[in-house]
Amino acid sequence: MNVPQRASHFNGLLFILLTSLIWGLTFPIAKYLLMTGLTPELLLGLRFTIGSLILLGFVMTQPLRFPRQTYIDGLVLGIGLAAIFWLQMHGLQTTTATKSGFITGFYVIFTFILATLLGDKLNRYHIIASLIAVLGLGLFAYKPEEPFGGWTVGDSQTLLSAFLIGVNIVLTSIYSKRTAPLILALIKCSVVAVVLSAMAFVQTTPEQFDLLKQLSHHSSFWIPLLYLAIFATSIAFWLQCRFQPSLTSTETGVIFSLEPVFGA
């Protein structure tokens, strides 16, 4: 099934931390691209289409097989990711990039709960780390001088995406142990590309496509978009699929909770 030998625990920690850094920087970049006036669906469709094509190029250079279970695993993860990114991007329209990053980090506790329910051994250090992460995130997001503590619809959308991220982390821990990471990354990113590109095609107005044509002539549009497509999609999702099997789901969630720190 082309599954590589599992990396050492140290390498797993190191490369998942790198993945967290890459994804942490996406919050201000995504917020910047949304300020151009393009819809979240159109931006995400472009990001994942480019990212999937890059992964496909690497897959075509290697003699990898695609068992039936791989398609099922990739489809499940891809549909979940499409929902996650749709909720995050729409949430960014009514909340700040920094706040979005910190609320997203709540998935550390969701990951811990789900992983424990599915059989991960309880570890007091994991419990302490998860609680500290959630406490810090809550203190950052709460604003007592604003109605409802400053909580917005966008914050609710972001919190729902955080729950789905917890589910995705746990499922990735399971699926990546039985599937080649490059194939799994390609299939799930391709599913996101298809779903969100279809939504963009249906929802995007002619004015939006005209705006996209205008923006395509500027490097200030392509540089952040290519960062999202190459580093935050092709490379980061491959790193996650390759190195997450070396860690527990809770360890992965705690490391990924550093994303908002990198994106602040």
Side-chain angles (χ1 to χ4, degrees):
M1 293 183 66
N2 310 110
V3 181
Q5 184 177 0
R6 189 177 300 182
S8 68
H9 187 259
F10 175 79
N11 285 340
L13 290 171
L14 181 64
F15 283 102
I16 290 299
L17 180 62
L18 174 60
T19 305
S20 181
L21 169 63
I22 293 171
W23 280 339
L25 296 176
T26 64
F27 291 101
I29 292 173
K31 184 72 173 181
Y32 166 79
L33 287 173
L34 283 172
M35 291 173 64
T36 64
L38 294 177
T39 64
E41 292 82 6
L42 188 53
L43 287 170
L44 288 168
L46 287 168
R47 168 186 171 177
F48 278 90
T49 297
I50 297 171
S52 297
L53 290 173
I54 293 171
L55 286 168
L56 178 61
F58 282 102
V59 167
M60 292 177 66
T61 66
Q62 302 184 38
L64 298 174
R65 298 193 306 273
F66 287 69
R68 180 182 177 184
Q69 187 62 50
T70 300
Y71 289 103
I72 297 173
D73 292 349
L75 180 63
V76 171
L77 291 176
I79 291 174
L81 278 175
I84 288 166
F85 282 102
W86 185 89
L87 287 165
Q88 277 189 343
M89 291 291 275
H90 275 274
L92 275 170
Q93 293 181 313
T94 54
T95 192
T96 66
T98 303
K99 193 176 181 185
S100 174
F102 275 84
I103 294 174
T104 298
F106 274 95
Y107 61 67
V108 65
I109 196 66
F110 296 134
T111 302
F112 170 73
I113 293 171
L114 292 167
T116 302
L117 290 175
L118 290 176
D120 272 14
K121 293 177 64 176
L122 281 173
N123 182 308
R124 65 178 181 274
Y125 298 110
H126 292 170
I127 296 173
I128 293 170
S130 299
L131 291 176
I132 290 174
V134 171
L135 178 61
L137 294 166
L139 291 174
F140 180 88
Y142 182 66
K143 294 183 179 180
E145 72 279 3
E146 297 183 15
F148 304 103
W151 195 264
T152 67
V153 172
D155 295 335
S156 297
Q157 291 173 316
T158 305
L159 184 62
L160 178 56
S161 78
F163 172 76
L164 294 178
I165 291 171
V167 174
N168 192 272
I169 288 174
V170 173
L171 291 180
T172 298
S173 288
I174 297 171
Y175 297 164
S176 58
K177 292 175 183 175
R178 65 191 187 198
T179 303
L182 191 57
I183 295 176
L184 188 60
L186 169 62
I187 294 176
K188 69 179 182 179
C189 288
S190 298
V191 170
V192 178
V194 170
V195 171
L196 292 172
S197 294
M199 293 176 65
F201 182 78
V202 172
Q203 299 177 11
T204 304
T205 63
E207 291 76 17
Q208 282 281 307
F209 287 113
D210 289 339
L211 176 59
L212 176 61
K213 185 177 180 180
Q214 296 172 24
L215 291 170
S216 66
H217 296 292
H218 300 281
S219 60
S220 59
F221 170 73
W222 282 110
I223 291 174
L225 179 62
L226 289 176
Y227 174 85
L228 294 179
I230 298 172
F231 292 96
T233 302
S234 302
I235 295 175
F237 280 109
W238 175 79
L239 287 173
Q240 183 192 18
C241 293
R242 175 66 180 87
F243 292 99
Q244 188 175 323
S246 303
L247 310 178
T248 67
S249 297
T250 302
E251 286 175 325
T252 302
V254 170
I255 294 173
F256 282 163
S257 70
L258 294 172
E259 285 182 30
V261 178
F262 296 132

